[in-house]
Amino acid sequence: MQCIETRGNDGRRPHQVSFSEAMLNPVASFGGLYVPARLPRLPEGFLTQQLHADYASLASAVLDLYQLDIPAEVLHQALARYTQFDDPQSPIPVHQLADNLFVNELYHGPTRAFKDIALQPFGALLSHLAATRQEQFLVLAATSGDTGPATLHAFRHCPWVKVVCLYPVGGTSDVQRLQMVTETAPNLCVLGIHGDFDDTQNALKALLSSDTFQAQLARRNTRLSAANSVNIGRIMFQQIYHIAAYLSLVRRGTLQLGESININVPSGNFGNALGAYYARKLGLPIDRILIASNQNNVLTDFIRTGRYDLRQRQVINTHAPAMDILISSNIERLLFDLFGPERTRTLMSALTQERHYALDAQELTQLQAIFAADFATDAEVRTYMHDVFSQGYVIDPHTATSFGIQHPADRNIPTVICATAEWTKFSPTLATALLQTPGLSDAEALRQVAAATNQPVPAQIADIFHRPVQHKMQISPDAIEAAILDFL
Ligand SMILES: *Cc1c(COP(=O)(O)O)cnc(C)c1O
């Protein structure tokens, strides 16, 4: 697979780069992102052949279609990381909630959020590439709560790779913060940043494209990469579970092969939803992709009106912090796929310079043929968690945002909601919604909610409260560069 750039080429970089090059160096011309030069199609009979495949086999069959420049045995080892999930045979189980409503439980990995699904194999691939090149890499991650723990875990003790993880102070749950700051591997560094997630992500983007920072790294024989979903390496692994969910519905007899599903995705940076979009382009029968937001509902407005407008907006802290995002990076890849590189460059520079852009009527029609969107307020999130629990099922606040979406078209089409995190990462919100006991600490809320709902708290979460804090540094965005160089 070759990768091309969403904003076209500036003449200073090659017109196409290999997948591994795009993964190692994710900055493209004009500040764009890398995308596959061509999306493959599922060959005739593919879904029938894969109907009973286990997850790792399905994943390698899908990735084979892309012809990544990664040796087969390395890919195999990367996918073997799924053996750390609760059930190695079925790392991503699908739960049926009602006749036509399913939940794709994406959170059974080591850090209890869906980020593990992509970051675990991504970590294995990047480590392999660094080791074969004998080059030292620095992976920078900005996190609104779940990318950080998942990235740190994925690179623990990897030779040739160091990780610096930036999180907004006060912008994550206690569990998420403890997952990061109690990491002990010496190749990992965690920095609290005074600011919100967009400030943190912007600081990261500025560093990724800073020539002086690059020069400092070059002096230390270190190359820079990024683990955010701006990295195409992550998107590759985020298509597969949508296909796996589809096959699971066929195996249960809910669907005949060829019939459609809707996929409903709690969205922030739009990586998960882009994975569904690519799966649809591969030929998976997806009718609509439903985009759920919290009160930071810039995507709801965009999909309903064609206007992406940041002018009247500030990030609001909500019950679903991993979705407290206004600049949704992977929308750019969607714009590219629908409207091409020139239009993408125009729209993205309008967003940077004027803080808004608008699609024309025809473009909006194209977008709405595929996507629909809605959002949930915090009060609605609590109601949905409560209502779903009264049916005997526990969801986290991010997943809850998906329950507000009115099905746009045919109610007979089964819908698969992506459950993006386990409730254990956000237990105080659960305690408020289910038990009407607000204000508890994470530890106490975990205990009470687990007892009231009869849900287990996995060891990965229970253990972090007993570990010493290793990473205490909290700094302003302009001190990040120095702190990183210090760590290196
Ligand atoms: C990252 C994350 C999201 C948002 O996913 P995107 O791919 O960035 O849209 C939603 N929920 C949870 C729990 C997450 O960790």
Side-chain angles (χ1 to χ4, degrees):
M1 174 174 112
Q2 292 290 304
C3 291
I4 54 175
E5 304 164 279
T6 48
R7 302 186 196 183
N9 183 270
D10 63 6
R12 298 195 324 181
R13 289 186 171 78
H15 280 265
Q16 301 204 337
V17 300
S18 65
F19 168 72
S20 53
E21 201 46 54
M23 214 178 108
L24 292 172
N25 186 9
V27 183
S29 298
F30 305 116
L33 304 176
Y34 282 109
V35 284
R38 206 177 48 78
L39 291 170
R41 296 280 300 176
L42 301 178
E44 189 71 32
F46 182 91
L47 293 174
T48 313
Q49 282 158 27
Q50 296 299 325
L51 189 54
H52 297 284
D54 63 31
Y55 191 83
S57 312
L58 172 68
S60 22
V62 174
L63 295 174
D64 273 355
L65 303 175
Y66 279 94
Q67 300 182 305
L68 306 179
D69 58 332
I70 305 283
E73 74 275 8
V74 175
L75 214 46
H76 183 77
Q77 279 167 24
L79 295 170
R81 293 265 189 119
Y82 293 129
T83 56
Q84 304 167 79
F85 281 48
D86 293 342
D87 178 357
Q89 290 309 306
S90 172
I92 305 169
V94 177
H95 177 87
Q96 181 158 22
L97 258 189
D99 273 356
N100 262 342
L101 188 59
F102 297 81
V103 181
N104 199 3
E105 295 183 350
L106 306 179
Y107 53 73
H108 290 276
T111 70
R112 316 316 284 174
F114 90 99
K115 303 290 195 290
D116 290 327
I117 297 174
L119 277 165
Q120 283 294 332
F122 175 88
L125 291 191
L126 194 76
S127 307
H128 163 81
L129 292 173
T132 39
R133 294 170 184 229
Q134 306 252 313
E135 285 180 320
Q136 187 72 53
F137 274 85
L138 170 65
V139 169
L140 286 178
T143 185
S144 58
D146 291 326
T147 301
T151 306
L152 295 164
H153 192 286
F155 287 104
R156 273 182 187 174
H157 298 293
C158 281
W160 301 103
V161 181
K162 290 194 171 107
V163 179
V164 175
C165 180
L166 314 174
Y167 71 94
V169 173
T172 71
S173 77
D174 275 358
V175 165
Q176 291 171 319
R177 184 179 46 81
L178 287 172
Q179 283 180 312
M180 294 186 272
V181 299
T182 60
E183 280 284 359
T184 54
N187 64 323
L188 309 177
C189 167
V190 181
L191 300 171
I193 306 302
H194 296 298
D196 61 31
F197 174 67
D198 283 329
D199 299 330
T200 311
Q201 179 159 267
N202 286 339
L204 175 107
K205 282 183 183 162
L207 277 183
L208 284 176
S209 52
S210 149
D211 290 338
T212 55
F213 184 61
Q214 298 274 359
Q216 291 280 2
L217 293 182
R219 228 179 286 157
R220 293 164 173 82
N221 289 319
T222 297
R223 283 182 64 183
L224 195 57
S225 190
N228 281 39
S229 56
V230 300
N231 196 311
I232 190 67
R234 275 185 50 186
I235 304 295
M236 285 296 123
F237 295 102
Q238 299 195 350
Q239 307 164 50
I240 296 153
Y241 47 78
H242 299 297
I243 303 174
Y246 181 88
L247 293 175
S248 153
L249 266 56
V250 175
R251 284 198 302 276
R252 291 165 203 243
T254 305
L255 286 179
Q256 304 279 335
L257 269 175
E259 290 176 344
S260 295
I261 58 171
N262 294 317
I263 294 190
N264 182 338
V265 190
S267 294
N269 250 337
F270 208 74
N272 200 352
L274 185 76
Y277 176 76
Y278 282 174
R280 191 179 186 274
K281 296 274 294 193
L282 297 185
L284 188 73
I286 297 174
D287 186 50
R288 296 295 178 91
I289 302 168
L290 312 176
I291 302 301
S293 297
N294 59 25
Q295 268 157 289
N296 296 291
N297 56 359
V298 66
L299 292 176
T300 314
D301 283 354
F302 174 58
I303 289 163
R304 288 183 176 175
T305 68
R307 283 191 297 275
Y308 201 110
D309 195 342
L310 300 172
R311 284 171 298 183
Q312 308 296 325
R313 289 181 180 273
Q314 295 234 307
V315 177
I316 302 166
N317 289 335
T318 72
H319 287 333
M323 296 157 59
D324 291 347
I325 290 173
L326 292 177
I327 300 170
S328 181
S329 310
N330 278 294
I331 289 290
E332 176 162 354
R333 290 189 163 111
L334 178 67
L335 296 177
F336 169 83
D337 198 74
L338 292 173
F339 313 127
E342 261 134 63
R343 183 66 172 148
T344 303
R345 193 171 148 205
T346 306
L347 296 175
M348 294 311 296
S349 52
L351 188 65
T352 314
Q353 280 154 28
E354 293 148 40
R355 297 183 52 77
H356 73 111
Y357 63 77
L359 303 182
D360 65 31
Q362 196 209 330
E363 290 168 335
L364 180 59
T365 307
Q366 269 176 275
L367 182 73
Q368 290 178 340
I370 306 168
F371 293 96
D374 208 338
F375 72 99
T377 63
D378 275 356
E380 286 167 335
V381 161
R382 292 195 300 273
T383 304
Y384 300 141
M385 290 192 296
H386 186 271
D387 291 352
V388 172
F389 177 58
S390 62
Q391 302 165 47
Y393 190 65
V394 180
I395 54 172
D396 97 294
H398 301 79
T399 310
T401 61
S402 278
F403 283 76
I405 297 191
Q406 297 300 316
H407 294 201
D410 186 348
R411 282 175 178 277
N412 293 321
I413 297 178
T415 294
V416 177
I417 289 177
C418 289
T420 50
E422 189 176 60
W423 70 270
T424 53
K425 295 189 99 164
F426 307 99
S427 55
T429 310
L430 273 286
T432 308
L434 307 188
L435 314 176
Q436 283 73 52
T437 50
L440 299 182
S441 68
D442 277 39
E444 183 56 22
L446 269 168
R447 208 184 56 71
Q448 290 196 16
V449 175
T453 61
N454 216 1
Q455 293 285 307
V457 176
Q460 295 104 322
I461 298 292
D463 290 354
I464 51 173
F465 292 96
H466 312 296
R467 297 210 199 107
V469 171
Q470 312 283 345
H471 304 270
K472 296 192 174 133
M473 203 185 278
Q474 300 187 342
I475 57 179
S476 66
D478 54 15
I480 295 172
E481 180 165 348
I484 294 173
L485 294 174
D486 213 38
F487 164 67
L488 293 179

